[in-house]
């Protein structure tokens, strides 16, 4: 698409490929639509702003700003409106930075396990790696790959980075397990092919170098995989209180294949096709959400095992998910917001609560973590309410759940 150049606010130059002109409703009133990297659109109306739209192909061709634009005096209402637009843009940038910063705690969360496994391998102690369940690592890997595809499609660069690091760090652990012969070799080969293919396809799609047909095939694969794995993982959590069976996964696999096939044959309604398209992202989110439920269930059944939990790891999990809350709220992504809040409160804070109840961490540590979580979530809603000009945080929540 050809780019158009305009000005927003007091002398602010906007990148020619991020903005384009919608329409001119008045000689002195221009509506500008911004399409950000997350495909979220915001409308800005600037009165009494004389704008020139230049059809350009490269930023270097832009003439000096003071030679082609003259700004007429603006009223107080115009200044307030411009300030609101600037505030919205600044918060857009800040939330993206918060999302990118989440990669640090998530990487630190996996790093101790990688180092420990490496030490055991170097010492010849392969038996120690059998304590790491490869099935659990595989579940997390599939979740990361599904979310990677979801965010790559939405062009959320920071979230794509976080999920890519998640895929790579989890795969490193799986490689270590394969070296220790703690998992079947054929499964490791299949996993390797899936990971390599997934990373390559997402990379090509992100930059627009992949055909729609190949991307659709990959989306179908993640949808079927997610729908098959999620019920099986949920069922397996409650073994031995329920029979140990692969029936839930098998039935879900048949249903998933049938649903995807009907969608591709145009046998479903438009809403049905849209639902199938959103399934992979939600199943990946539910997989990560279920990890918190499984951990709490284990804590309930075996309270003595709580002492084996790392308070630092739970804190990192709470921090990493918490850093994504402002961004998911800002772009009104209910799935992302649900997973982030759940991971921060139920997985991170919930396990810290269990550690505190069993006197594994100090009162001061727990209260500090609780206060930090509450203040951060409160700040996220307050700031979102402010930049969007709402009168109440409930309006932001309503838009998140019901849409604009």
């Amino acid at each position: 698409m050809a780019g158009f150049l305009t000005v927003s606010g007091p002398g602010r130059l906007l990148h020619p490929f991020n903005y384009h002109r919608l329409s001119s409703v008045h000689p002195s009133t221009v509506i500008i639509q911004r399409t950000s990297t997350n495909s979220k659109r915001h409308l800005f109306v600037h009165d009494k702003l004389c704008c020139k739209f230049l059809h350009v192909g490269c930023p270097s061709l832009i003439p000096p700003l003071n030679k082609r634009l003259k700004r007429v005096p603006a009223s107080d209402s115009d200044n307030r409106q411009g300030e609101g637009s600037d505030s919205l843009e600044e918060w857009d940038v800040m939330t993206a930075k918060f999302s990118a910063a989440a990669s640090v705690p998530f990487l630190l969360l996996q790093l101790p396990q990688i180092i420990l496994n490496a030490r055991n391998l170097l010492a010849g102690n392969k038996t120690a790696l059998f304590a790491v369940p490869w099935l659990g690592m595989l579940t997390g890997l599939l979740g990361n790959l599904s979310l990677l595809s979801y965010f790559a499609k939405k062009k959320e660069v920071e979230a794509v980075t976080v999920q890519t690091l998640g895929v790579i760090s989890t795969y490193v652990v799986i490689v270590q397990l394969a070296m220790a012969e703690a998992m079947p070799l054929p499964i490791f080969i299949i996993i390797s092919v899936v990971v390599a293919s997934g990373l390559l396809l997402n990379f090509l799609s992100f930059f627009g170098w992949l055909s729609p047909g190949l991307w659709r095939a990959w989306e179908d694969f993640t949808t079927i995989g997610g729908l098959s794995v999620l019920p099986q993982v949920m069922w397996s959590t409650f073994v031995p209180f329920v029979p140990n069976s692969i029936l839930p996964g098998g039935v879900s696999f048949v249903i998933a294949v049938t649903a995807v096939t009907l969608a591709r044959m145009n046998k479903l309604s438009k809403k049905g096709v849209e639902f199938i398209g959103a399934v992979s992202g939600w199943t990946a989110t539910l997989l990560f959400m279920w990890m918190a439920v499984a951990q709490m269930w284990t804590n309930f059944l075996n309270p003595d095992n709580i002492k084996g939990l790392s308070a630092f790891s739970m804190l990192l999990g709470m921090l990493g998910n918490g850093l994504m809350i402002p961004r998911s709220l800002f772009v009104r992504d209910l799935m992302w917001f649900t997973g982030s809040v759940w991971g921060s409160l139920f997985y991170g804070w919930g396990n810290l609560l269990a550690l505190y109840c069993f006197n594994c961490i100090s009162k001061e540590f727990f209260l500090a973590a609780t206060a930090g979580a509450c203040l951060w979530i409160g700040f996220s809603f307050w700031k979102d309410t402010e930049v969007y000009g709402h009168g109440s945080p409930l309006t932001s929540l309503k838009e998140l759940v019901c849409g604009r």
Side-chain angles (χ1 to χ4, degrees), residues 113-119 121 129 169 171-182 188:
Q113 186 66 58
I114 294 175
I115 295 174
L116 179 61
N117 290 346
R119 288 177 177 174
L121 285 173
L129 275 73
S169 60
Y171 180 71
V172 169
V173 176
I174 290 178
V175 169
Q176 292 175 326
L177 295 179
M179 293 173 64
E181 300 178 353
F188 169 72

Side-chain angles (χ1 to χ4, degrees), residues 28 35 51 62 75 86 157 165-166 178 201 279 282 363 387 390 401:
S28 63
T35 304
C51 300
I62 301 173
S75 63
D86 289 343
V157 180
L165 288 175
L201 291 174
V279 161
W282 273 106
K363 181 180 179 180
V387 298
H390 297 322
V401 177

